[in-house]
Amino acid sequence: MVLKYPRPKLLTRRTPMKKLKKLKSSKEKSLSSDETHKEIQADLKDNIEILKELFQDCTDVVFRPLIAGNVHAYLLFVDGFVDTKAIELHGLKQLIEENEVNRITADFLTERVISISSVSETIKLDDVVKNVLKANTVLLVDGLTKAIIFDAKGGERRGVSEPTTESAVRGPREGFTEILRVNTALVRHKIRSNRLKILSKDVGEETQTNLAILYVEGLAPPELVEEVLSRVERIKIDGILESGYIEEFIEDSAWSMFPQIQNTERPDTVAANLLEGRIAIIVDGTPFVLILPATFWQFFQSSEDYYDRFHIFIFLRLLRISFVFIAITLPGIYVAVTTYHQEMIPTSLLLSIAASREAIPFPMFVEALIMELAFEALREAGIRLPQIVGQAVGILGALVIGQAAVEAGIVSAPTVIMIALTGIASFTIPRYNMSISVRMLRFPLMILGGMFGLFGVVLGFLIILTHLCKLRSFGIPYFWPIAPMSFKALKDTLIRVPWWAMNERPNQLVKEDVIRQADHLMPSPPKAGEEGSPS
């Protein structure tokens, strides 16, 4: 016999709002209710009743009853957020063993019972709720109008490991994690100075995400610090789950294709930028830290540039800048030249291209567009698939599809070579967000090249260049130090001069403590008769 169950009534867009309201429990209360603004009462039962109503159906919130002599108490914490062994060793054991009832006071608990370093008090129930949800542990004692808050964070979290998006041959192997205080400690380990300031803010009405704003006092301009704080405080949203939320809210030009705030997983990169007068924003729950303000040239610099011989990275930086120009303009120039300006191509090369395109049914623009879209699809598939499978798809897919497309007569071999060279050029950019922007911009230039020839490509490139010169990041010109020109700052822009030659910090940011090293560090050739001089 087959049992038939009645079909459940589903909520649809046609369900009246009155029925939706009836579905809510009459006991349900929000954190914004008047109950949370009450002060803690001396009667423990009243406090626990209110808190249990606020945490109704929150099965991960633990209410642990305790008895110390004749005094009753409760421990509140979120299971999985705290280290239960630390609670037992540094608070629970001492409290249970305490038999002197008349000595159970707030001062006695904070000074004698709880041996964890971070301890505070509160008289508000909403502070109790917020601290429990921020992975703190709260102790409520019968007869006390104060709650004891102490830090016993723990649980299973990812440890410090090597960054995956910013690999380097030489340099530190540690990267940020999803835990805010671990990340601030990694930066503090690099800059052991009392001038390093860390300000905390909570953003998100529901998530109450904690973020830290880091800067070095005396290096970061005070007006820049005030502007960053002002923009962060203006954010009103239900939740912040990643630093990308903050980035979109505080950047100067939201409609620009170019990133105006740098993100990084490396503590050494953050420390280096803080020492140049910039500000860092660390968001709890993500390993990506924001650095601001940012300039265009900053996205083509790698942390490894400063750890090895400067001769090597002078060449590599010039190579990156050259390949950025190739990644943006090569598809547009190729389409424009082969479509409108064949006289610019050498005769032998022109004959080779014409022979390869003899059986191709598509115009040059359509052919290049098909291959560009296929390349981007393969790149995206390689990222989204598991790592081992993704690498195989990215490499084999490009080879197989490219070879099959040429043999089938859909695209020509020169077009495949051009698309491959463009893709390789875009991969030389150290920062992923800038690499994405560059890859996106080659499509409008390719369209302009297909419509107007080289005139369209040049026009589009001039529009991009004009936009870069107009763009600003927290008041700093985006194309600085090229526009406006600053010869001193060019030492660490297109090239990287030796460390002993970079004795000043960027003058666009730092106004007071400009000198970063002593003058005598610049090497000089040994004098005659000294060790190392030629005989």
Side-chain angles (χ1 to χ4, degrees), residues 252-305:
D252 287 56
S253 180
W255 298 104
S256 176
M257 287 287 295
F258 294 94
Q260 298 135 60
I261 298 175
Q262 180 185 345
N263 64 74
T264 181
E265 286 186 272
R266 300 183 64 92
D268 55 332
T269 301
V270 172
N273 281 276
L274 290 175
L275 293 175
E276 291 186 348
R278 294 186 176 90
I279 296 175
I281 299 178
I282 302 178
V283 180
D284 191 23
T286 176
F288 290 93
V289 176
L290 304 180
I291 300 174
L292 52 95
T295 62
F296 177 77
W297 312 104
Q298 194 173 327
F299 293 92
F300 303 97
Q301 301 172 1
S302 172
S303 60
E304 196 178 6
D305 294 2

Side-chain angles (χ1 to χ4, degrees), residues 464-472 477-479:
I464 294 173
L465 198 61
T466 304
H467 173 69
L468 288 173
C469 293
K470 290 176 59 180
L471 202 59
R472 287 179 172 266
Y478 193 63
F479 223 52

Side-chain angles (χ1 to χ4, degrees), residues 151-259:
D151 187 357
K153 294 184 179 70
E156 296 295 330
R157 303 296 294 270
R158 185 174 70 91
V160 178
S161 59
E162 186 174 355
T164 57
T165 59
E166 298 176 71
S167 58
V169 177
R170 181 175 181 177
R173 291 289 187 262
E174 58 188 8
F176 289 119
T177 70
E178 287 77 14
I179 306 174
L180 177 69
R181 284 307 166 199
V182 173
N183 295 340
T184 56
L186 289 172
V187 179
R188 180 70 73 178
H189 183 72
K190 300 290 183 184
I191 306 177
R192 302 177 183 181
S193 170
N194 61 339
R195 295 173 64 188
L196 175 61
K197 306 302 180 183
I198 303 177
L199 307 178
S200 295
K201 296 287 181 183
D202 292 334
V203 183
E205 299 296 328
E206 302 297 334
T207 59
Q208 289 291 310
T209 305
N210 190 226
L211 58 86
I213 301 172
L214 287 73
Y215 67 96
V216 177
E217 189 177 32
L219 298 183
E223 59 272 15
L224 177 60
V225 178
E226 292 178 3
E227 179 64 23
V228 172
L229 290 172
S230 175
R231 294 190 188 188
V232 170
E233 289 174 353
R234 287 201 302 263
I235 298 176
K236 300 298 180 183
I237 189 174
D238 57 349
I240 297 292
L241 303 179
E242 215 275 337
S243 57
Y245 288 47
I246 304 293
E247 181 178 355
E248 288 195 29
F249 279 117
I250 66 176
E251 62 184 357
D252 287 56
S253 180
W255 298 104
S256 176
M257 287 287 295
F258 294 94

Side-chain angles (χ1 to χ4, degrees), residues 59-62 77-82 84:
T59 56
D60 57 337
V61 179
V62 177
F77 59 89
V78 177
D79 190 16
F81 274 11
V82 301
T84 54

Side-chain angles (χ1 to χ4, degrees), residues 506-526:
N507 54 8
Q508 189 73 16
L509 288 172
V510 182
K511 303 299 182 182
E512 298 177 2
D513 191 5
V514 178
I515 305 300
R516 77 163 98 203
Q517 63 188 25
D519 294 334
H520 70 272
L521 295 178
M522 182 173 293
S524 58

